[in-house]
Amino acid sequence: DGGITQSPKYLFRKEGQNVTLSCEQNLNHDAMYWYRQDPGQGLRLIYYSQIVNDFQKGDIAEGYSVSREKKESFPLTVTSAQKNPTAFYLCASSIVGELITDTQYFGPGTRLTVL
Amino acid sequence: GEDVEQSLFLSVREGDSSVINCTYTDSSSTYLYWYKQEPGAGLQLLTYIFSNMDMKQDQRLTVLLNKKDKHLSLRIADTQTGDSAIYFCAEKSENYGNNRLAFGKGNQVVVIP
């Protein structure tokens, strides 16, 4: 059964603590992405990675960090430097290559609440 | 630059057609997408259209693309209660960088039984 999994679905943390959100895919996709979604907002790109051991900042990378040590995994750490971390976090993946659609496939999301 | 705009809310009676609109600014868009998000879930790809096409039909879904006006629409025929969701349009553009998509803010569709 191929797909993207994110865990946990709901996460609660105290203010000032770092927290790591998991994203795993078994689609053999090269690229992976992290988005943040707030109510009434579209998706905003945090970080993305097109290949193992390489990643780029998106539009709102401040207060976040990522790693891409394995092709199938792209964990996101929300650090204490992120001023407003409560949000719905979505992970996605896609094939990389020319002349294709680069369609992104999404995981089910993790809702992070910082108390 | 990339800027994708959508209206926010649409209510429609079950069985009617619903039309969701989206405008974009980047004329270099190569692909445009429609995604559906049900409450508390991730985004599900509904359909996409290549920028050299005017229309694409897929069962109850019809996508229309007006490149001159940079306008994209999604028509859902015979709308059902399961169509209640937020719909996002997104564009892929070479100007936006490799493998990146620009998403609109989404349009919430509520289907009234």
Side-chain angles (χ1 to χ4, degrees):
Chain A
D1 217 8
I4 304 173
T5 56
Q6 292 185 243
S7 61
K9 188 159 179 65
Y10 299 96
L11 191 54
F12 296 88
R13 278 295 181 268
K14 291 183 178 179
E15 195 171 343
Q17 289 181 334
N18 291 355
V19 60
T20 298
L21 281 60
S22 165
C23 178
E24 305 278 330
Q25 54 98 1
N26 60 5
L27 300 168
N28 201 33
H29 285 173
D30 297 298
M32 297 186 74
Y33 311 80
W34 273 107
Y35 293 91
R36 171 184 172 133
Q37 184 180 22
D38 296 283
Q41 302 270 345
L43 274 65
R44 292 185 290 170
L45 183 65
I46 304 172
Y47 268 99
Y48 65 108
S49 167
Q50 298 185 67
I51 195 169
V52 174
N53 292 323
D54 187 44
F55 47 83
Q56 289 81 40
K57 292 182 179 179
D59 300 320
I60 55 164
E62 185 176 350
Y64 299 98
S65 65
V66 292
S67 62
R68 187 84 188 277
E69 296 176 3
K70 298 186 295 182
K71 187 176 184 178
E72 57 270 23
S73 179
F74 191 41
L76 173 75
T77 297
V78 184
T79 74
S80 55
Q82 168 51 234
K83 294 178 183 175
N84 187 17
T86 294
F88 191 50
Y89 290 87
L90 288 160
C91 179
S93 69
S94 70
I95 298 170
V96 172
E98 294 181 5
L99 303 178
I100 59 171
T101 65
D102 289 336
T103 299
Q104 293 185 15
Y105 296 89
F106 284 79
T110 291
R111 185 166 299 279
L112 172 65
T113 303
V114 175
L115 305 170
Chain B
E2 60 290 331
D3 191 10
V4 181
E5 296 190 7
Q6 295 181 249
S7 53
L8 293 180
F9 183 82
L10 173 70
S11 66
V12 60
R13 291 203 176 276
E14 190 175 13
D16 288 351
S17 294
S18 47
V19 178
I20 307 163
N21 296 299
C22 172
T23 59
Y24 59 97
T25 58
D26 194 335
S27 57
S28 299
S29 294
T30 52
Y31 288 95
L32 295 121
Y33 308 81
W34 283 104
Y35 282 88
K36 174 185 180 183
Q37 184 182 35
E38 296 181 6
L43 273 66
Q44 171 195 352
L45 177 70
L46 286 178
T47 188
Y48 63 88
I49 188 168
F50 188 45
S51 57
N52 69 353
M53 297 170 65
D54 298 323
M55 186 182 89
K56 181 178 180 180
Q57 186 153 5
D58 184 1
Q59 299 182 336
R60 292 190 297 119
L61 305 178
T62 302
V63 178
L64 296 177
L65 176 60
N66 182 330
K67 284 196 73 174
K68 176 176 170 289
D69 296 335
K70 299 189 185 66
H71 183 261
L72 180 74
S73 69
L74 174 69
R75 178 178 181 269
I76 306 173
D78 185 25
T79 308
Q80 299 163 9
T81 55
D83 295 325
S84 292
I86 301 175
Y87 292 82
F88 292 93
C89 63
E91 63 169 334
K92 176 187 173 185
S93 165
E94 293 173 1
N95 291 336
Y96 195 34
N98 290 336
N99 311 111
R100 288 183 59 167
L101 300 182
F103 285 85
K105 287 186 167 57
N107 188 313
Q108 180 153 15
V109 174
V110 174
V111 181
I112 304 165

PDB file of all heavy atoms in Angstrom, chain A residues 74-105:
ATOM      1  N   PHE A  74      11.472  12.683   5.795  1.00  0.00           N
ATOM      2  CA  PHE A  74      11.760  14.131   5.772  1.00  0.00           C
ATOM      3  C   PHE A  74      11.160  14.744   7.035  1.00  0.00           C
ATOM      4  O   PHE A  74      10.148  15.435   6.999  1.00  0.00           O
ATOM      5  CB  PHE A  74      11.150  14.742   4.511  1.00  0.00           C
ATOM      6  CG  PHE A  74      11.577  16.165   4.216  1.00  0.00           C
ATOM      7  CD1 PHE A  74      12.885  16.591   4.395  1.00  0.00           C
ATOM      8  CD2 PHE A  74      10.657  17.076   3.699  1.00  0.00           C
ATOM      9  CE1 PHE A  74      13.274  17.884   4.086  1.00  0.00           C
ATOM     10  CE2 PHE A  74      11.043  18.383   3.389  1.00  0.00           C
ATOM     11  CZ  PHE A  74      12.350  18.785   3.585  1.00  0.00           C
ATOM     12  N   PRO A  75      11.787  14.541   8.189  1.00  0.00           N
ATOM     13  CA  PRO A  75      11.232  15.062   9.435  1.00  0.00           C
ATOM     14  C   PRO A  75      11.382  16.576   9.555  1.00  0.00           C
ATOM     15  O   PRO A  75      12.382  17.153   9.105  1.00  0.00           O
ATOM     16  CB  PRO A  75      12.049  14.343  10.516  1.00  0.00           C
ATOM     17  CG  PRO A  75      13.318  13.953   9.836  1.00  0.00           C
ATOM     18  CD  PRO A  75      12.989  13.714   8.400  1.00  0.00           C
ATOM     19  N   LEU A  76      10.396  17.185  10.180  1.00  0.00           N
ATOM     20  CA  LEU A  76      10.379  18.631  10.407  1.00  0.00           C
ATOM     21  C   LEU A  76      10.433  18.907  11.903  1.00  0.00           C
ATOM     22  O   LEU A  76       9.629  18.365  12.659  1.00  0.00           O
ATOM     23  CB  LEU A  76       9.093  19.239   9.835  1.00  0.00           C
ATOM     24  CG  LEU A  76       8.847  20.719  10.142  1.00  0.00           C
ATOM     25  CD1 LEU A  76       9.735  21.612   9.296  1.00  0.00           C
ATOM     26  CD2 LEU A  76       7.375  21.079   9.902  1.00  0.00           C
ATOM     27  N   THR A  77      11.389  19.732  12.317  1.00  0.00           N
ATOM     28  CA  THR A  77      11.465  20.140  13.725  1.00  0.00           C
ATOM     29  C   THR A  77      10.966  21.572  13.858  1.00  0.00           C
ATOM     30  O   THR A  77      11.441  22.469  13.154  1.00  0.00           O
ATOM     31  CB  THR A  77      12.899  20.025  14.266  1.00  0.00           C
ATOM     32  OG1 THR A  77      13.295  18.645  14.221  1.00  0.00           O
ATOM     33  CG2 THR A  77      12.978  20.518  15.705  1.00  0.00           C
ATOM     34  N   VAL A  78       9.988  21.733  14.727  1.00  0.00           N
ATOM     35  CA  VAL A  78       9.483  23.058  15.057  1.00  0.00           C
ATOM     36  C   VAL A  78      10.226  23.500  16.310  1.00  0.00           C
ATOM     37  O   VAL A  78      10.096  22.883  17.371  1.00  0.00           O
ATOM     38  CB  VAL A  78       7.965  23.020  15.303  1.00  0.00           C
ATOM     39  CG1 VAL A  78       7.422  24.418  15.545  1.00  0.00           C
ATOM     40  CG2 VAL A  78       7.240  22.357  14.135  1.00  0.00           C
ATOM     41  N   THR A  79      11.048  24.514  16.183  1.00  0.00           N
ATOM     42  CA  THR A  79      11.882  24.912  17.309  1.00  0.00           C
ATOM     43  C   THR A  79      11.172  25.958  18.167  1.00  0.00           C
ATOM     44  O   THR A  79      10.155  26.545  17.757  1.00  0.00           O
ATOM     45  CB  THR A  79      13.225  25.468  16.829  1.00  0.00           C
ATOM     46  OG1 THR A  79      13.015  26.782  16.287  1.00  0.00           O
ATOM     47  CG2 THR A  79      13.849  24.569  15.774  1.00  0.00           C
ATOM     48  N   SER A  80      11.762  26.226  19.300  1.00  0.00           N
ATOM     49  CA  SER A  80      11.188  27.216  20.207  1.00  0.00           C
ATOM     50  C   SER A  80      11.286  28.619  19.622  1.00  0.00           C
ATOM     51  O   SER A  80      10.647  29.550  20.104  1.00  0.00           O
ATOM     52  CB  SER A  80      11.897  27.160  21.565  1.00  0.00           C
ATOM     53  OG  SER A  80      13.280  27.322  21.407  1.00  0.00           O
ATOM     54  N   ALA A  81      12.082  28.782  18.564  1.00  0.00           N
ATOM     55  CA  ALA A  81      12.215  30.090  17.912  1.00  0.00           C
ATOM     56  C   ALA A  81      11.014  30.429  17.030  1.00  0.00           C
ATOM     57  O   ALA A  81      10.831  31.585  16.637  1.00  0.00           O
ATOM     58  CB  ALA A  81      13.484  30.130  17.063  1.00  0.00           C
ATOM     59  N   GLN A  82      10.190  29.433  16.728  1.00  0.00           N
ATOM     60  CA  GLN A  82       8.992  29.681  15.912  1.00  0.00           C
ATOM     61  C   GLN A  82       7.957  30.358  16.806  1.00  0.00           C
ATOM     62  O   GLN A  82       7.478  29.778  17.788  1.00  0.00           O
ATOM     63  CB  GLN A  82       8.460  28.372  15.337  1.00  0.00           C
ATOM     64  CG  GLN A  82       7.072  28.433  14.715  1.00  0.00           C
ATOM     65  CD  GLN A  82       6.880  29.543  13.705  1.00  0.00           C
ATOM     66  OE1 GLN A  82       5.971  30.346  13.790  1.00  0.00           O
ATOM     67  NE2 GLN A  82       7.769  29.598  12.736  1.00  0.00           N
ATOM     68  N   LYS A  83       7.579  31.584  16.450  1.00  0.00           N
ATOM     69  CA  LYS A  83       6.777  32.399  17.358  1.00  0.00           C
ATOM     70  C   LYS A  83       5.320  31.972  17.454  1.00  0.00           C
ATOM     71  O   LYS A  83       4.657  32.204  18.453  1.00  0.00           O
ATOM     72  CB  LYS A  83       6.863  33.860  16.919  1.00  0.00           C
ATOM     73  CG  LYS A  83       8.253  34.445  17.077  1.00  0.00           C
ATOM     74  CD  LYS A  83       8.324  35.881  16.589  1.00  0.00           C
ATOM     75  CE  LYS A  83       9.749  36.403  16.708  1.00  0.00           C
ATOM     76  NZ  LYS A  83       9.903  37.744  16.132  1.00  0.00           N
ATOM     77  N   ASN A  84       4.813  31.375  16.411  1.00  0.00           N
ATOM     78  CA  ASN A  84       3.397  30.993  16.410  1.00  0.00           C
ATOM     79  C   ASN A  84       3.261  29.596  15.804  1.00  0.00           C
ATOM     80  O   ASN A  84       2.797  29.449  14.678  1.00  0.00           O
ATOM     81  CB  ASN A  84       2.589  32.018  15.612  1.00  0.00           C
ATOM     82  CG  ASN A  84       1.109  31.774  15.701  1.00  0.00           C
ATOM     83  OD1 ASN A  84       0.645  31.055  16.574  1.00  0.00           O
ATOM     84  ND2 ASN A  84       0.359  32.353  14.791  1.00  0.00           N
ATOM     85  N   PRO A  85       3.658  28.567  16.519  1.00  0.00           N
ATOM     86  CA  PRO A  85       3.762  27.239  15.915  1.00  0.00           C
ATOM     87  C   PRO A  85       2.448  26.471  15.801  1.00  0.00           C
ATOM     88  O   PRO A  85       2.390  25.494  15.057  1.00  0.00           O
ATOM     89  CB  PRO A  85       4.708  26.506  16.873  1.00  0.00           C
ATOM     90  CG  PRO A  85       4.500  27.171  18.188  1.00  0.00           C
ATOM     91  CD  PRO A  85       4.207  28.607  17.883  1.00  0.00           C
ATOM     92  N   THR A  86       1.413  26.887  16.482  1.00  0.00           N
ATOM     93  CA  THR A  86       0.149  26.156  16.417  1.00  0.00           C
ATOM     94  C   THR A  86      -0.420  26.256  15.008  1.00  0.00           C
ATOM     95  O   THR A  86      -0.704  27.347  14.524  1.00  0.00           O
ATOM     96  CB  THR A  86      -0.853  26.720  17.433  1.00  0.00           C
ATOM     97  OG1 THR A  86      -0.360  26.465  18.758  1.00  0.00           O
ATOM     98  CG2 THR A  86      -2.222  26.069  17.272  1.00  0.00           C
ATOM     99  N   ALA A  87      -0.574  25.112  14.339  1.00  0.00           N
ATOM    100  CA  ALA A  87      -1.027  25.091  12.946  1.00  0.00           C
ATOM    101  C   ALA A  87      -1.217  23.638  12.518  1.00  0.00           C
ATOM    102  O   ALA A  87      -0.926  22.703  13.259  1.00  0.00           O
ATOM    103  CB  ALA A  87      -0.019  25.773  12.019  1.00  0.00           C
ATOM    104  N   PHE A  88      -1.709  23.479  11.310  1.00  0.00           N
ATOM    105  CA  PHE A  88      -1.842  22.172  10.659  1.00  0.00           C
ATOM    106  C   PHE A  88      -0.677  22.044   9.693  1.00  0.00           C
ATOM    107  O   PHE A  88      -0.476  22.895   8.833  1.00  0.00           O
ATOM    108  CB  PHE A  88      -3.190  22.115   9.936  1.00  0.00           C
ATOM    109  CG  PHE A  88      -3.578  20.759   9.434  1.00  0.00           C
ATOM    110  CD1 PHE A  88      -3.539  19.646  10.261  1.00  0.00           C
ATOM    111  CD2 PHE A  88      -4.020  20.587   8.130  1.00  0.00           C
ATOM    112  CE1 PHE A  88      -3.916  18.390   9.800  1.00  0.00           C
ATOM    113  CE2 PHE A  88      -4.399  19.340   7.656  1.00  0.00           C
ATOM    114  CZ  PHE A  88      -4.350  18.240   8.486  1.00  0.00           C
ATOM    115  N   TYR A  89       0.115  20.963   9.844  1.00  0.00           N
ATOM    116  CA  TYR A  89       1.311  20.789   9.038  1.00  0.00           C
ATOM    117  C   TYR A  89       1.102  19.643   8.044  1.00  0.00           C
ATOM    118  O   TYR A  89       0.712  18.532   8.418  1.00  0.00           O
ATOM    119  CB  TYR A  89       2.521  20.500   9.934  1.00  0.00           C
ATOM    120  CG  TYR A  89       2.934  21.708  10.739  1.00  0.00           C
ATOM    121  CD1 TYR A  89       2.359  21.981  11.978  1.00  0.00           C
ATOM    122  CD2 TYR A  89       3.881  22.609  10.241  1.00  0.00           C
ATOM    123  CE1 TYR A  89       2.719  23.102  12.702  1.00  0.00           C
ATOM    124  CE2 TYR A  89       4.247  23.730  10.959  1.00  0.00           C
ATOM    125  CZ  TYR A  89       3.654  23.963  12.187  1.00  0.00           C
ATOM    126  OH  TYR A  89       4.021  25.082  12.910  1.00  0.00           O
ATOM    127  N   LEU A  90       1.384  19.934   6.800  1.00  0.00           N
ATOM    128  CA  LEU A  90       1.187  18.966   5.724  1.00  0.00           C
ATOM    129  C   LEU A  90       2.503  18.650   5.050  1.00  0.00           C
ATOM    130  O   LEU A  90       3.280  19.547   4.720  1.00  0.00           O
ATOM    131  CB  LEU A  90       0.211  19.518   4.686  1.00  0.00           C
ATOM    132  CG  LEU A  90      -1.248  19.580   5.130  1.00  0.00           C
ATOM    133  CD1 LEU A  90      -2.028  20.556   4.284  1.00  0.00           C
ATOM    134  CD2 LEU A  90      -1.872  18.200   5.039  1.00  0.00           C
ATOM    135  N   CYS A  91       2.726  17.366   4.843  1.00  0.00           N
ATOM    136  CA  CYS A  91       3.899  16.890   4.126  1.00  0.00           C
ATOM    137  C   CYS A  91       3.449  16.399   2.748  1.00  0.00           C
ATOM    138  O   CYS A  91       2.321  15.885   2.596  1.00  0.00           O
ATOM    139  CB  CYS A  91       4.546  15.755   4.914  1.00  0.00           C
ATOM    140  SG  CYS A  91       5.999  15.026   4.147  1.00  0.00           S
ATOM    141  N   ALA A  92       4.283  16.573   1.746  1.00  0.00           N
ATOM    142  CA  ALA A  92       3.957  16.114   0.393  1.00  0.00           C
ATOM    143  C   ALA A  92       5.210  15.562  -0.261  1.00  0.00           C
ATOM    144  O   ALA A  92       6.331  15.815   0.186  1.00  0.00           O
ATOM    145  CB  ALA A  92       3.385  17.255  -0.443  1.00  0.00           C
ATOM    146  N   SER A  93       5.005  14.818  -1.344  1.00  0.00           N
ATOM    147  CA  SER A  93       6.146  14.319  -2.102  1.00  0.00           C
ATOM    148  C   SER A  93       5.797  14.326  -3.579  1.00  0.00           C
ATOM    149  O   SER A  93       4.611  14.369  -3.952  1.00  0.00           O
ATOM    150  CB  SER A  93       6.542  12.909  -1.658  1.00  0.00           C
ATOM    151  OG  SER A  93       5.560  11.957  -2.035  1.00  0.00           O
ATOM    152  N   SER A  94       6.829  14.297  -4.425  1.00  0.00           N
ATOM    153  CA  SER A  94       6.599  14.277  -5.862  1.00  0.00           C
ATOM    154  C   SER A  94       7.790  13.661  -6.569  1.00  0.00           C
ATOM    155  O   SER A  94       8.892  13.602  -6.029  1.00  0.00           O
ATOM    156  CB  SER A  94       6.344  15.686  -6.405  1.00  0.00           C
ATOM    157  OG  SER A  94       7.525  16.457  -6.365  1.00  0.00           O
ATOM    158  N   ILE A  95       7.537  13.209  -7.814  1.00  0.00           N
ATOM    159  CA  ILE A  95       8.619  12.761  -8.679  1.00  0.00           C
ATOM    160  C   ILE A  95       9.331  14.001  -9.184  1.00  0.00           C
ATOM    161  O   ILE A  95       8.729  15.072  -9.342  1.00  0.00           O
ATOM    162  CB  ILE A  95       8.039  11.958  -9.854  1.00  0.00           C
ATOM    163  CG1 ILE A  95       7.313  10.723  -9.342  1.00  0.00           C
ATOM    164  CG2 ILE A  95       9.132  11.551 -10.829  1.00  0.00           C
ATOM    165  CD1 ILE A  95       6.518  10.017 -10.424  1.00  0.00           C
ATOM    166  N   VAL A  96      10.609  13.900  -9.466  1.00  0.00           N
ATOM    167  CA  VAL A  96      11.365  15.013 -10.025  1.00  0.00           C
ATOM    168  C   VAL A  96      11.785  14.655 -11.438  1.00  0.00           C
ATOM    169  O   VAL A  96      12.263  13.567 -11.700  1.00  0.00           O
ATOM    170  CB  VAL A  96      12.623  15.305  -9.185  1.00  0.00           C
ATOM    171  CG1 VAL A  96      13.518  16.324  -9.880  1.00  0.00           C
ATOM    172  CG2 VAL A  96      12.231  15.806  -7.813  1.00  0.00           C
ATOM    173  N   GLY A  97      11.580  15.593 -12.368  1.00  0.00           N
ATOM    174  CA  GLY A  97      12.015  15.333 -13.732  1.00  0.00           C
ATOM    175  C   GLY A  97      11.372  16.302 -14.687  1.00  0.00           C
ATOM    176  O   GLY A  97      10.378  16.949 -14.397  1.00  0.00           O
ATOM    177  N   GLU A  98      11.932  16.413 -15.880  1.00  0.00           N
ATOM    178  CA  GLU A  98      11.367  17.320 -16.866  1.00  0.00           C
ATOM    179  C   GLU A  98      10.168  16.683 -17.542  1.00  0.00           C
ATOM    180  O   GLU A  98      10.001  15.487 -17.552  1.00  0.00           O
ATOM    181  CB  GLU A  98      12.441  17.645 -17.913  1.00  0.00           C
ATOM    182  CG  GLU A  98      13.588  18.432 -17.341  1.00  0.00           C
ATOM    183  CD  GLU A  98      14.606  18.759 -18.421  1.00  0.00           C
ATOM    184  OE1 GLU A  98      14.350  18.447 -19.588  1.00  0.00           O
ATOM    185  OE2 GLU A  98      15.648  19.316 -18.067  1.00  0.00           O
ATOM    186  N   LEU A  99       9.365  17.498 -18.113  1.00  0.00           N
ATOM    187  CA  LEU A  99       8.233  17.069 -18.928  1.00  0.00           C
ATOM    188  C   LEU A  99       7.235  16.190 -18.196  1.00  0.00           C
ATOM    189  O   LEU A  99       6.543  15.387 -18.777  1.00  0.00           O
ATOM    190  CB  LEU A  99       8.718  16.318 -20.197  1.00  0.00           C
ATOM    191  CG  LEU A  99       9.676  17.105 -21.081  1.00  0.00           C
ATOM    192  CD1 LEU A  99      10.125  16.274 -22.270  1.00  0.00           C
ATOM    193  CD2 LEU A  99       9.029  18.402 -21.556  1.00  0.00           C
ATOM    194  N   ILE A 100       7.203  16.346 -16.915  1.00  0.00           N
ATOM    195  CA  ILE A 100       6.156  15.655 -16.158  1.00  0.00           C
ATOM    196  C   ILE A 100       5.464  16.683 -15.288  1.00  0.00           C
ATOM    197  O   ILE A 100       5.902  17.807 -15.152  1.00  0.00           O
ATOM    198  CB  ILE A 100       6.712  14.519 -15.282  1.00  0.00           C
ATOM    199  CG1 ILE A 100       7.732  15.061 -14.280  1.00  0.00           C
ATOM    200  CG2 ILE A 100       7.316  13.416 -16.134  1.00  0.00           C
ATOM    201  CD1 ILE A 100       8.149  14.044 -13.260  1.00  0.00           C
ATOM    202  N   THR A 101       4.398  16.279 -14.698  1.00  0.00           N
ATOM    203  CA  THR A 101       3.559  17.258 -14.025  1.00  0.00           C
ATOM    204  C   THR A 101       4.095  17.675 -12.665  1.00  0.00           C
ATOM    205  O   THR A 101       3.673  18.674 -12.120  1.00  0.00           O
ATOM    206  CB  THR A 101       2.146  16.685 -13.804  1.00  0.00           C
ATOM    207  OG1 THR A 101       2.230  15.575 -12.913  1.00  0.00           O
ATOM    208  CG2 THR A 101       1.542  16.241 -15.115  1.00  0.00           C
ATOM    209  N   ASP A 102       5.017  16.891 -12.069  1.00  0.00           N
ATOM    210  CA  ASP A 102       5.471  17.168 -10.707  1.00  0.00           C
ATOM    211  C   ASP A 102       4.311  17.254  -9.735  1.00  0.00           C
ATOM    212  O   ASP A 102       4.339  18.038  -8.788  1.00  0.00           O
ATOM    213  CB  ASP A 102       6.290  18.457 -10.636  1.00  0.00           C
ATOM    214  CG  ASP A 102       7.641  18.288 -11.290  1.00  0.00           C
ATOM    215  OD1 ASP A 102       8.118  17.151 -11.387  1.00  0.00           O
ATOM    216  OD2 ASP A 102       8.214  19.298 -11.724  1.00  0.00           O
ATOM    217  N   THR A 103       3.303  16.465  -9.989  1.00  0.00           N
ATOM    218  CA  THR A 103       2.161  16.448  -9.086  1.00  0.00           C
ATOM    219  C   THR A 103       2.616  16.099  -7.679  1.00  0.00           C
ATOM    220  O   THR A 103       3.383  15.168  -7.473  1.00  0.00           O
ATOM    221  CB  THR A 103       1.140  15.407  -9.558  1.00  0.00           C
ATOM    222  OG1 THR A 103       0.692  15.781 -10.859  1.00  0.00           O
ATOM    223  CG2 THR A 103      -0.045  15.344  -8.623  1.00  0.00           C
ATOM    224  N   GLN A 104       2.140  16.873  -6.712  1.00  0.00           N
ATOM    225  CA  GLN A 104       2.478  16.611  -5.318  1.00  0.00           C
ATOM    226  C   GLN A 104       1.371  15.799  -4.665  1.00  0.00           C
ATOM    227  O   GLN A 104       0.187  16.099  -4.842  1.00  0.00           O
ATOM    228  CB  GLN A 104       2.694  17.929  -4.577  1.00  0.00           C
ATOM    229  CG  GLN A 104       3.928  18.672  -5.074  1.00  0.00           C
ATOM    230  CD  GLN A 104       4.240  19.916  -4.285  1.00  0.00           C
ATOM    231  OE1 GLN A 104       3.732  20.130  -3.192  1.00  0.00           O
ATOM    232  NE2 GLN A 104       5.105  20.754  -4.836  1.00  0.00           N
ATOM    233  N   TYR A 105       1.781  14.797  -3.921  1.00  0.00           N
ATOM    234  CA  TYR A 105       0.859  13.934  -3.193  1.00  0.00           C
ATOM    235  C   TYR A 105       1.048  14.200  -1.707  1.00  0.00           C
ATOM    236  O   TYR A 105       2.175  14.243  -1.218  1.00  0.00           O
ATOM    237  CB  TYR A 105       1.133  12.467  -3.521  1.00  0.00           C
ATOM    238  CG  TYR A 105       0.883  12.162  -4.971  1.00  0.00           C
ATOM    239  CD1 TYR A 105       1.893  12.298  -5.917  1.00  0.00           C
ATOM    240  CD2 TYR A 105      -0.376  11.768  -5.403  1.00  0.00           C
ATOM    241  CE1 TYR A 105       1.659  12.041  -7.256  1.00  0.00           C
ATOM    242  CE2 TYR A 105      -0.621  11.505  -6.744  1.00  0.00           C
ATOM    243  CZ  TYR A 105       0.399  11.651  -7.659  1.00  0.00           C
ATOM    244  OH  TYR A 105       0.152  11.405  -8.984  1.00  0.00           O
TER     245      TYR A 105
END
